[in-house]
């Protein structure tokens, strides 16, 4: 498995800056409101200090009441300003989160199929769920809280310095410890959280592969091997989580130990300053209250600094999707013909040996070609080359004389469609599921496509095409879901179809009926079928036998049976002595 890329720090910063520019007005308004709320919050300690000084000087109760009323008004103003700022900030956060999700989906849909397959479903699934949710939480909660707390802390420190510069120095008593441990933490946290995210992706990939291939695992007695694999992945994730926990176990206790230092310094040194006549009692009281008031924003900054590291790491993983080069748009116009030709095609997967060795094949328009051979012979790889998903290392695969990989992807998919045994039912109605391949299809077109693939179960649906499918609604069994995929193929109406064991999930009787129905509908189109049931080969115009990445036999069913070669032996073993 080759993991998808992760964005570097510069890319993350550019993305955040771009978001700030896009939402400049909302951010400016929220910032102004937060500053106003913070300023209103500074009034209470200052007014308490003024009351102390006035009482010491012999003020009357009416003077104190006046200050108390002003204090109440400032508290009320702070509440109103803070709630308004929070509302503006929440709206900004939701818009930013929606934009992030939309951009992520758009980037994901632009990924080349080959890249997604090499990366595995675990990495993409983790990024699209855990990482996107983490970034969304950071935008909605972490960023506003850190912003508010930073503004509050800055204004509190400024207010103490305005009371007296000596008192201002005392409020910074805990700063050296907090700054030192924060620098220590920030040097280590990003890589630690990236490693934790990667470990989560690997675990998801391992569990998904084991669950999807459970029958194969059981049949090949691979249970112990898969258990060891899963245990190793869990152990790595546990190790990475322990690493981030170890960082937090140092970071938070050290930071919290410094919370009491400013207030203690104010009381101790403030008493000395007062005795020397450098400051008033009211100034010391106000400064001490400010020192106590600073604990909450510092605590929020430190707590959410840890969550921000998670958010930044997840944002780097989310943005990494956009670093993958999109599928080339193609340089060739529509090909003049429909003949599919393979000349000297060789192919290898990354880091491996060649799996196809000089394939030569010509598929005539309207022909039905079956490709058979043992598992691992390269049948699915050849299908991917014919569909233009992968390009040969050497040689060429062309349609009408134009290399298929030079065609615009949309044009190529209109002309060549690949359907595998993997299928998916999207959450939505049956109509929605069918419309993916042909948005302009009518209801009659959709019903005809379902009938073409033998989807008899459609008649029993309570709401017909409006029946909701997927999680939380009507669940389709694998056979029904595969027929939906085949119905999409009928609606897409390409001139060349590549069926890579597309009826594998159907029982033999249903598969036979489905293929016959498809045969009638797809008359006149080029059909290339990767056959695991040999009656598909029996009905084909020609059969290509693939062995060890080479075409060993090519001809009609009858010709190959008479030749007495590998295909004849395969036919006899599958079908007895009948020909």
């Amino acid at each position: 498995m080759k993991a998808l890329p992760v964005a570097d720090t510069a890319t993350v910063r550019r993305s955040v800056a771009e978001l700030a520019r896009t939402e400049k007005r909302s951010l400016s308004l929220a910032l102004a409101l937060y500053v106003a709320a913070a300023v209103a919050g500074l009034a209470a300690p200052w007014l308490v200090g003024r009351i102390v000084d006035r009482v010491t000087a012999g003020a009357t109760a009416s003077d104190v009441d006046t200050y108390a009323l002003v204090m109440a008004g400032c508290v009320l103003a702070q509440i109103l300003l803070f709630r308004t700022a929070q509302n503006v900030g929440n709206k900004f956060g939701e818009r930013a989160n929606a934009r992030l999700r939309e951009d992520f989906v758009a980037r994901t849909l632009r990924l080349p199929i080959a890249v997604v397959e090499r990366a595995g479903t675990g990495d993409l699934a983790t990024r699209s769920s855990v990482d996107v949710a983490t970034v969304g939480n950071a935008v909605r909660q972490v960023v506003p809280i850190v912003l508010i707390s930073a503004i509050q802390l800055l204004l509190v420190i400024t207010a103490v310095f305005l009371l007296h510069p000596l008192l201002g120095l005392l409020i910074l008593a805990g700063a050296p410890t907090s700054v030192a441990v924060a620098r220590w933490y920030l040097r280590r946290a990003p890589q630690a959280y990236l490693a934790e995210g990667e470990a989560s992706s690997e675990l998801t990939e391992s569990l998904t592969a084991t669950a999807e291939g459970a029958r194969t695992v059981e049949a090949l007695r691979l249970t112990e091997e898969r258990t060891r694999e899963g245990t190793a992945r869990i152990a790595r994730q546990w190790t990475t989580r322990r690493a981030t926990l170890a960082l937090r176990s140092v970071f938070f206790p050290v930071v919290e130990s410094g919370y009491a230092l400013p207030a203690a310094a104010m009381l101790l040194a403030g008493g000395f300053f007062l005795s020397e006549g450098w400051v008033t009692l009211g100034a010391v009281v106000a400064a001490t209250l400010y020192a106590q008031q600073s604990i909450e924003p510092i605590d929020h900054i430190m707590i959410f600094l840890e969550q921000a590291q998670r958010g930044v790491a997840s944002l780097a993983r989310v943005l990494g999707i956009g670093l993958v080069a999109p599928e080339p748009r193609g340089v060739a116009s529509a090909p003049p013909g429909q003949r599919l030709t393979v000349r000297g095609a060789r192919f290898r997967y990354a880091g491996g040996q060649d799996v196809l060795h000089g394939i030569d094949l010509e598929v005539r328009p309207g022909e039905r070609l079956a490709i058979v051979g043992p598992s691992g012979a390269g049948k699915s790889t050849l299908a991917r080359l014919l569909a233009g998903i992968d390009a040969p290392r050497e040689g060429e695969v062309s349609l009408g004389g134009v290399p298929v990989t030079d065609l615009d992807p949309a044009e190529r998919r209109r002309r060549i469609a690949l359907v595998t045994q993997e299928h998916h039912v999207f959450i939505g109605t049956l109509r929605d599921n069918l419309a993916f391949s042909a948005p302009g299809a009518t209801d009659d077109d959709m019903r005809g496509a379902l009938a073409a693939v033998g989807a008899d179960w459609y008649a029993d649906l309570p709401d017909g095409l409006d029946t909701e499918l997927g999680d939380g609604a009507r669940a389709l069994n694998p056979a029904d879901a595969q027929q939906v995929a085949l119905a999409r193929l009928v609606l897409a109406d390409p001139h060349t179809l590549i069926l890579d064991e597309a009826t594998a999930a159907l029982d033999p009787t249903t598969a036979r009926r489905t293929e016959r129905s498809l045969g009638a509908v797809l008359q006149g189109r080029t059909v290339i079928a990767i056959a695991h049931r040999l009656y598909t080969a029996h009905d084909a115009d020609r059969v290509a036998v693939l062995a060890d990445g080479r075409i060993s036999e090519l001809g009609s069913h009858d010709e190959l049976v008479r030749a007495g070669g590998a295909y004849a032996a395969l036919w006899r073993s599958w079908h007895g002595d009948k020909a």
Side-chain angles (χ1 to χ4, degrees):
M1 184 184 73
K2 182 180 179 181
L4 292 165
V6 175
D8 58 17
T9 303
T11 302
V12 173
R13 288 174 178 170
R14 284 196 299 271
S15 176
V16 173
E18 177 61 28
L19 176 61
R21 284 193 296 270
T22 304
E23 294 286 344
K24 183 177 180 180
R25 183 174 180 180
S26 296
L27 279 176
S28 299
L29 177 59
L31 183 61
L33 290 169
Y34 282 134
V35 169
V39 170
L42 294 177
W46 182 81
L47 289 169
V48 169
R50 292 292 297 169
I51 290 173
V52 170
D53 286 340
R54 294 300 298 272
V55 169
T56 304
T60 63
S62 62
D63 292 334
V64 175
D65 290 341
T66 301
Y67 280 115
L69 287 173
V70 174
M71 189 185 306
C74 290
V75 171
L76 179 61
Q78 181 188 20
I79 293 173
L80 293 176
L81 288 168
F82 180 80
R83 291 297 299 271
T84 305
Q86 194 174 42
N87 186 45
V88 173
N90 286 340
K91 289 180 179 179
F92 155 73
E94 290 301 330
R95 285 196 301 271
N97 191 34
R99 185 178 295 110
L100 171 72
R101 291 178 180 274
E102 291 167 359
D103 290 346
F104 180 83
V105 171
R107 292 190 187 105
T108 301
L109 293 176
R110 288 196 296 268
L111 289 176
I113 295 175
V115 171
V116 175
E117 292 177 341
R118 284 195 299 271
T121 57
D123 192 14
L124 191 58
T126 302
R127 296 189 191 213
S128 64
S129 55
V130 176
D131 289 319
V132 170
T134 301
V135 177
N137 177 67
V139 172
R140 285 194 304 268
Q141 299 183 28
V142 177
V143 173
I145 290 176
V146 170
L147 180 63
I148 296 167
S149 300
I151 293 171
Q152 288 177 330
L153 183 60
L154 179 62
L155 291 177
V156 165
I157 294 173
T158 302
V160 177
F161 269 96
L162 291 176
L163 286 172
H164 198 284
L166 289 175
L167 297 176
L169 293 176
L170 293 177
I171 200 172
L172 300 177
T177 302
S178 298
V179 170
V181 75
R183 285 172 59 85
W184 175 88
Y185 176 76
L186 291 174
R187 283 197 301 268
R188 293 162 175 79
Q191 290 304 317
Y193 282 112
L194 284 174
E196 183 179 325
E198 182 180 345
S200 296
S201 294
E202 291 177 354
L203 176 59
T204 302
E205 175 67 24
S206 178
L207 295 177
T208 301
T210 301
E212 290 179 349
R215 292 184 179 179
T216 302
V217 169
E218 184 178 355
L220 298 180
R221 300 179 181 178
L222 298 175
T223 303
E224 291 186 4
E225 180 180 332
R226 295 307 301 172
T227 300
R228 286 194 298 270
E229 165 75 9
T231 302
R233 302 285 183 175
I234 292 172
R236 181 168 185 268
Q237 186 184 44
W238 174 240
T239 300
T240 59
R241 289 195 173 185
R242 281 176 62 91
T244 56
L245 177 61
L247 294 177
R248 295 193 296 272
S249 298
V250 174
F251 177 66
F252 286 118
V254 173
V255 168
E256 290 171 1
S257 67
Y259 286 171
L261 290 177
M266 290 292 179
L267 293 174
L268 292 174
F272 173 74
F273 297 157
L274 179 62
S275 66
E276 294 295 322
W278 298 344
V279 296
T280 66
L281 177 60
V284 174
V285 171
T288 304
L289 291 175
Y290 280 131
Q292 196 66 23
Q293 192 181 69
S294 70
I295 292 177
E296 183 179 6
I298 293 174
D299 194 45
H300 283 162
I301 290 174
M302 295 306 175
I303 289 174
F304 286 100
L305 182 64
E306 184 269 331
Q307 294 189 22
Q309 292 307 304
R310 290 180 180 272
V312 170
S314 291
L315 180 58
R317 286 166 54 79
V318 169
L319 295 176
I321 298 293
L323 300 180
V324 179
E327 194 170 7
R329 291 297 89 192
V331 297
S333 58
Q338 299 180 1
R339 186 178 293 269
L340 198 55
T341 305
V342 184
R343 289 286 180 264
R346 295 178 179 272
F347 182 82
R348 71 171 59 147
Y349 292 99
Q353 302 294 322
D354 278 354
V355 293
L356 295 179
H357 309 276
I359 297 292
D360 290 306
L361 181 65
E362 188 169 290
V363 185
R364 298 182 290 268
E367 181 181 24
R368 299 192 179 195
L369 174 71
I371 300 176
V372 302
S375 178
K379 302 186 298 298
S380 294
T381 302
L382 178 57
R384 292 169 61 85
L385 263 61
L386 292 170
I389 295 174
D390 291 318
R393 182 176 64 83
E394 293 182 10
E396 183 181 79
V397 179
S398 61
L399 179 67
V402 178
V404 292
T405 52
D406 285 353
L407 294 173
D408 180 81
E411 178 67 25
R412 184 172 66 239
R413 289 166 190 145
R414 279 195 296 269
R415 294 171 176 271
I416 305 174
L418 170 65
V419 179
T420 70
Q421 56 187 304
E422 298 178 3
H423 47 267
H424 185 74
V425 176
F426 297 91
I427 296 176
T429 65
L430 177 57
R431 178 184 286 103
D432 295 334
N433 272 267
L434 294 174
F436 279 116
S437 60
T442 65
D443 287 2
D444 288 339
D445 294 334
M446 294 181 182
R447 295 188 188 98
L450 291 168
V453 299
D456 302 334
W457 47 267
Y458 162 72
D460 299 326
L461 294 180
D463 299 315
L465 293 173
D466 293 318
T467 302
E468 294 285 340
L469 304 178
D471 293 340
R474 184 185 179 93
L476 297 183
N477 60 47
D480 294 348
Q482 199 158 36
Q483 286 180 319
V484 170
L486 291 172
R488 292 192 195 112
L489 178 66
V490 173
L491 290 170
D493 196 27
H495 69 63
T496 299
L497 288 81
I498 303 172
L499 308 177
D500 187 1
E501 300 189 356
T503 58
L506 308 180
D507 63 83
T509 301
T510 304
R512 183 66 166 155
R513 185 173 66 251
T514 299
E515 290 182 0
R516 283 175 175 169
S517 299
L518 273 173
V521 172
L522 303 177
Q523 189 69 37
R525 291 174 175 78
T526 305
V527 179
I528 302 169
I530 308 299
H532 67 295
R533 294 182 175 115
L534 289 191
Y535 56 67
T536 301
H538 179 276
D539 296 341
D541 298 322
R542 285 192 301 164
V543 180
V545 181
L546 209 59
D548 297 324
R550 295 178 175 85
I551 294 180
S552 59
E553 296 180 80
L554 181 63
S556 69
H557 167 80
D558 293 335
E559 290 171 347
L560 296 183
V561 169
R562 285 196 298 269
Y567 178 80
L570 189 64
W571 176 260
R572 284 193 297 269
S573 66
W574 185 80
H575 205 259
D577 294 329
K578 298 179 181 179

